[in-house]
């Protein structure tokens, strides 16, 4: 399909839903292929290597919680199972959790980062967090991967029935602000919140198609949490 001049392709590979876009810049730059993939144990080694690049271990959009273990394949597999299982209905009812779609940003077999889409927003999420969170491993930054990943997840958001999505970033985080603006983000305001001063942007989804994986997830209710 063609979206805003970009060629997109959705496919199923080994049971994982992928969405890819050929990305290339000037003729002097190498083209590379990025994909959004379901979390899978296949990426264990690369994921662990990436985690070591964050000094404090925090990664927006990764779903990591205190006490999670990843060292062994068995630990990693158990964590992925927890990461991708439907949210606890009691937690949903109380507003502690919301249904969330999670994808990993990969290039071939290399993990480059993660991105998540929250299907609904609690009051604090509406105030300061937004629908979408993402991270790119430090050694992969500067290639436009965050901009690509945000664009790649927008058709999934459209398929979930959203007509627009909210994204936020710290007021001084100008690289993140540029990533959002490159994807059509319109600044609503800059406000003080309980987790700091945030820039709040909305992206209109009317120009994006629905992706098949998201439509099937919406119909079945089998959402990642």
């Amino acid at each position: 399909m063609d979206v805003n001049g970009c060629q997109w392709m959705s496919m199923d590979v080994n049971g994982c839903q992928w969405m890819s876009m050929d990305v290339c810049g000037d003729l002097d730059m190498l083209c590379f292929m990025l994909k959004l993939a379901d979390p899978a144990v296949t990426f264990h080694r690369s994921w662990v290597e990436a985690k070591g690049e964050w000094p404090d271990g925090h990664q927006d959009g990764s779903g990591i919680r205190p006490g999670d273990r990843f060292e062994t394949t068995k630990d990693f597999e158990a964590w992925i199972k927890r990461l991708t299982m439907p949210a606890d209905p009691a937690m949903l009812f109380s507003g502690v959790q919301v249904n969330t779609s999670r994808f990993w940003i990969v290039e071939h077999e290399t993990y480059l980062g993660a991105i998540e889409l929250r299907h609904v927003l609690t009051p604090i999420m509406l105030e300061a967090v937004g629908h979408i969170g993402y991270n790119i491993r430090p050694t992969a930054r500067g290639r436009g991967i965050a901009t690509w990943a945000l664009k790649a997840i927008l058709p999934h958001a459209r398929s979930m029935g959203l007509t627009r999505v909210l994204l936020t970033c710290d007021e001084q985080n100008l690289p993140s602000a540029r990533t959002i603006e490159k994807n059509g983000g319109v600044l609503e305001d800059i406000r003080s919140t309980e987790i700091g001063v945030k820039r709040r942007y909305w992206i209109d989804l009317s120009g994006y198609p629905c992706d098949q994986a998201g439509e099937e997830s919406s119909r079945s209710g089998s959402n990642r949490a």
Side-chain angles (χ1 to χ4, degrees), residues 63 65 82-100 102 117-125 223-225:
R65 298 176 183 173
R82 193 274 296 167
L83 189 69
T84 57
M85 69 188 301
D88 183 340
M91 294 295 186
L92 291 175
F93 182 77
S94 66
V96 175
Q97 294 180 0
V98 297
N99 278 328
T100 304
R102 301 188 192 278
L117 168 68
R118 303 171 191 96
H119 302 178
V120 297
L121 298 179
T122 64
I124 181 59
M125 291 176 181
N223 302 319
R224 301 171 185 83

Side-chain angles (χ1 to χ4, degrees), residues 18 36 50 67 70 76 83 98 107 111-112 116 137 142 152 157 160 171 178 181-182 210 216-217 221 225:
W18 302 78
L36 294 187
F70 324 99
F76 193 66
L83 189 69
V98 297
E107 184 177 26
Y111 171 90
L112 301 180
E116 65 178 8
R137 64 189 295 178
M160 301 308 301
E171 182 184 17
R178 286 193 292 270
E181 290 166 359
K182 286 177 182 178
C210 296
E216 292 175 352
S217 177

Side-chain angles (χ1 to χ4, degrees), residues 3 19 26 29 50 119 129 197 212 214:
V3 181
M19 178 168 286
D26 299 333
M29 297 177 64
H119 302 178
V129 180
V197 180
Q212 183 178 0

Side-chain angles (χ1 to χ4, degrees), residues 103-172:
F103 297 97
W104 287 353
I105 307 160
V106 302
E107 184 177 26
H108 304 298
E109 296 301 313
T110 302
Y111 171 90
L112 301 180
I115 188 165
E116 65 178 8
L117 168 68
R118 303 171 191 96
H119 302 178
V120 297
L121 298 179
T122 64
I124 181 59
M125 291 176 181
L126 180 61
E127 176 81 7
V129 180
H131 287 95
I132 298 172
Y134 52 84
N135 73 78
I136 305 298
R137 64 189 295 178
T139 56
R141 293 173 185 169
R143 295 173 54 188
I145 294 172
T147 301
W148 175 88
L150 177 53
K151 183 182 289 291
I153 205 170
L154 295 180
H156 184 77
R158 177 77 184 278
S159 74
M160 301 308 301
L162 298 174
T163 58
R164 63 176 186 161
V165 289
L166 175 69
L167 287 99
T168 73
C169 65
D170 291 342
E171 182 184 17
Q172 303 303 320

